[in-house]
Amino acid sequence: MNYKGIYLSLLIALPAIASEPSMIVCEPLNKNDQSATGIWPKPYLSQDKLCFDMRVDSGDSCVSNGKTTTWLTGAVIVEIDGIPQGRDDTWFRVVKPAINDKKIEYVIEGSRDKKIWGIVSNVSINRLSGQAVDWFIGEHGGNSYQCHLEGRKI
């Protein structure tokens, strides 16, 4: 039997499937924890970059290991230390995240003027165990999650 056509099809299809975005899905370790609302913005991996699932009006919400990215999102409602800051255009940035086979660690910062930045979220994900911690806007101790990748099914 001639398997040449099947092999050729697989060689063409597999790189396309492998380059599809993989959502990082995280569930609270403690299902009764009302403060564990989920990691925001939701991260995903795309072509060896860490990206964030949110509307982008300017810039790029994807970043490579050790690099920096900044993006603008319009009409975001922000609270800092429990004090509402209102709805306004907000700049976000990720500076030098660690993205490798063992871990994903990043800090998202937000700013209204690109001059004064405040921490929005500090996330650490162990890629081997799936365990994650998210310190969301000034939380002490953070929330624990169990994460896994979800991508296109073959």
Side-chain angles (χ1 to χ4, degrees):
M1 222 173 161
N2 188 351
Y3 293 104
K4 194 176 192 180
I6 294 172
Y7 290 132
L8 183 59
S9 296
L10 281 174
L11 285 174
I12 293 170
L14 285 178
I17 292 170
S19 67
E20 287 289 319
S22 298
M23 294 302 295
I24 301 172
V25 178
C26 300
E27 300 292 331
L29 277 181
N30 180 353
K31 303 291 184 197
N32 297 322
D33 185 356
Q34 297 298 317
S35 67
T37 58
I39 295 174
W40 182 89
K42 291 183 180 180
Y44 66 94
L45 297 173
S46 180
Q47 300 177 353
D48 295 327
K49 290 184 177 183
L50 176 65
C51 302
F52 300 94
D53 188 19
M54 62 188 304
R55 190 181 90 212
V56 174
D57 295 318
S58 177
D60 188 2
S61 67
C62 293
V63 64
S64 297
N65 182 49
K67 303 293 183 183
T68 298
T69 190
T70 303
W71 69 94
L72 174 69
T73 299
V76 173
I77 299 172
V78 175
E79 277 191 19
I80 297 176
D81 294 328
I83 302 169
Q85 303 297 309
R87 180 187 301 249
D88 202 353
D89 293 350
T90 302
W91 287 93
F92 294 95
R93 73 178 179 188
V94 176
V95 178
K96 298 181 181 176
I99 308 163
N100 56 50
D101 292 341
K102 295 180 182 175
K103 66 181 178 181
I104 297 172
E105 292 181 343
Y106 61 91
V107 174
I108 293 183
E109 297 174 323
S111 175
R112 298 298 172 112
D113 58 9
K114 288 180 79 175
K115 294 176 185 166
I116 299 171
W117 294 87
I119 294 176
V120 174
S121 186
N122 181 351
V123 177
S124 177
I125 301 171
N126 181 321
R127 292 185 77 176
L128 302 176
S129 68
Q131 292 180 334
V133 177
D134 175 24
W135 295 271
F136 187 68
I137 309 178
E139 285 181 335
H140 301 285
N143 290 310
S144 297
Y145 295 90
Q146 184 64 41
C147 302
H148 65 276
L149 288 178
E150 280 187 5
R152 183 174 172 180
K153 306 290 189 256
I154 300 176

